[in-house]
Amino acid sequence: MKEYREEEEKLKWEGTFAEYLEIVKKRPEVAQTAHSRVYNMIKSAGIEEKNGQKIYKFLAMKSLD
């Protein structure tokens, strides 16, 4: 719990809306929704297209045989 709180404290940020907008101009990914972040994570693993369908490598299951 202590480690979690320390990490949370490091991520804490206070500032004005104008300062936030400057951060977003430099790093647009800061303003992404959680859904966008997850989708970008999935896309970063790679996407193939077969027979008109997208296959996301992040989600592709491999046989355990």
Side-chain angles (χ1 to χ4, degrees), residues 26-38:
K26 293 176 187 168
R27 296 180 42 222
E29 69 275 7
V30 169
Q32 285 182 329
T33 63
H35 296 87
S36 295
R37 289 176 192 268
V38 171

